[in-house]
Amino acid sequence: MGKDSTRNAPEHVAIIMDGNGRWAQARGKPRLFGHHAGAKRVREILEACPEQGVKYLTIFAFSTENWKRTQTEVSGLMKLFKRYLTHETKALVEAGVCVRFIGDRIRLDENLVALMDELELLTCHNTKVNLTVALNYGGRDEVARATKRLAREVAAGKIDPESVDAETLARFLDTYVLPDPDLVIRTSGEARISNFLLWQSAYSEYEFIDTLWPDFTRDEFARVLAGYTNRERRFGAVPG
Ligand code: FPP
């Protein structure tokens, strides 16, 4: 397809990758089997981004609520993240992917945080596509942490409280360098936001898809993006 196919592509797509557990259970396998299958899809969807005109892909890998899962699942996921970051480094660097992490690192294992820091550093000059991984991320937690940092600046006399507006707070969010998502996709048939990018998705389009994340192919991704380009976004204005 030519240039026109990407003319109205969403610049920033965010994905809630849901359904790994059900996908595995349907096959009589442990839930972690589904997470491993899900990790393979991350690479496929990321690879599809440049050809689809998507500059930013943000994925919800682990929420602040996911700690409530069994110890086996949580530690299996943490191991999977470490393995993924280690094994994918070379491919991500070569593919021109700039990787960032959002979420609170305080509760994460120090070896995992070291891998995250290293990957951010190694890929920070890449410009082909931006991958943001939300790890120990919650939208409310992010706004609370941002507010705390902003309050410190106010207390230190560096910011006049009267000058604080939405744009001021946005500068303290984990996502301060990213544009807001144009499109948020959630797989597995659940129609919830689940504390993902609450502030940033104020004007995003939502697409809830029945497919379980490990079955979400590059072709289906292309179909969802094509559907997006046919919709009109008004940002609160009346139709023109
Ligand atoms: C939701 O499915 C999925 C997660 C909480 C984990 C997402 C993680 C991956 C896709 C692994 C790969 C990520 C990276 C960054 C390599 P679920 O377990 O809630 O599924 P269910 O609703 O069917 O139980």
Side-chain angles (χ1 to χ4, degrees):
M1 284 199 279
K3 218 174 168 192
D4 278 349
S5 66
T6 62
R7 197 180 47 192
N8 297 315
E11 184 189 25
H12 184 175
V13 176
I15 306 185
I16 303 174
M17 310 177 289
D18 198 10
N20 296 346
R22 274 165 284 166
W23 185 89
Q25 276 158 356
R27 286 159 180 76
K29 302 274 191 188
R31 295 175 57 81
L32 274 165
F33 184 74
H35 294 314
H36 281 268
K40 290 197 189 112
R41 287 295 177 201
V42 171
R43 183 194 262 237
E44 179 177 334
I45 298 306
L46 179 63
E47 279 173 0
C49 285
E51 71 206 37
Q52 293 295 335
V54 174
K55 282 297 280 181
Y56 295 86
L57 177 71
T58 298
I59 54 172
F60 206 0
F62 194 87
S63 77
T64 46
E65 288 73 36
N66 284 153
W67 297 105
K68 293 181 203 145
R69 297 190 174 199
T70 64
Q71 219 260 319
T72 310
E73 185 169 356
V74 170
S75 66
L77 273 168
M78 293 301 151
K79 246 189 234 156
L80 167 61
F81 298 144
K82 280 186 210 162
R83 216 172 77 174
Y84 186 88
L85 299 193
T86 312
H87 289 181
E88 293 290 304
T89 299
K90 193 163 172 276
L92 290 164
V93 171
E94 285 173 5
V97 182
C98 173
V99 184
R100 297 182 183 88
F101 294 90
I102 55 171
D104 194 355
R105 297 179 188 208
I106 206 91
R107 213 175 151 180
L108 299 173
D109 172 294
E110 62 182 41
N111 295 322
L112 176 58
V113 175
L115 288 170
M116 291 157 64
D117 287 340
E118 192 187 339
L119 191 55
E120 282 187 333
L121 202 65
L122 279 169
T123 63
C124 68
H125 298 298
N126 287 342
T127 55
K128 194 161 182 195
V129 59
N130 294 271
L131 172 68
T132 303
V133 183
L135 240 176
N136 192 26
Y137 175 86
R140 287 182 175 179
D141 178 67
E142 180 192 30
V143 172
R145 286 186 288 105
T147 307
K148 195 188 285 184
R149 289 199 289 269
L150 172 57
R152 283 200 197 109
E153 300 276 296
V154 170
K158 292 182 186 160
I159 293 179
D160 173 5
E162 292 308 318
S163 74
V164 173
D165 56 15
E167 197 265 321
T168 318
L169 185 64
R171 287 207 306 270
F172 289 84
L173 294 171
D174 297 349
T175 52
Y176 65 101
V177 293
L178 304 175
D180 286 342
D182 302 291
L183 173 66
V184 181
I185 300 171
R186 181 174 188 147
T187 57
S188 95
E190 311 284 348
R192 286 192 299 275
I193 309 174
S194 296
N195 209 4
F196 188 45
L197 301 176
L198 292 181
W199 175 283
Q200 300 83 347
S201 63
Y203 290 101
S204 304
E205 296 283 332
Y206 277 90
E207 196 62 65
F208 298 104
I209 309 220
D210 286 337
T211 308
L212 304 175
W213 174 252
D215 289 329
F216 189 70
T217 60
R218 148 197 313 253
D219 286 347
E220 188 161 16
F221 185 49
R223 281 198 295 277
V224 175
L225 298 182
Y228 168 90
T229 61
N230 293 328
R231 292 197 231 163
E232 185 191 1
R233 295 179 76 201
R234 295 184 195 139
F235 297 95
V238 289

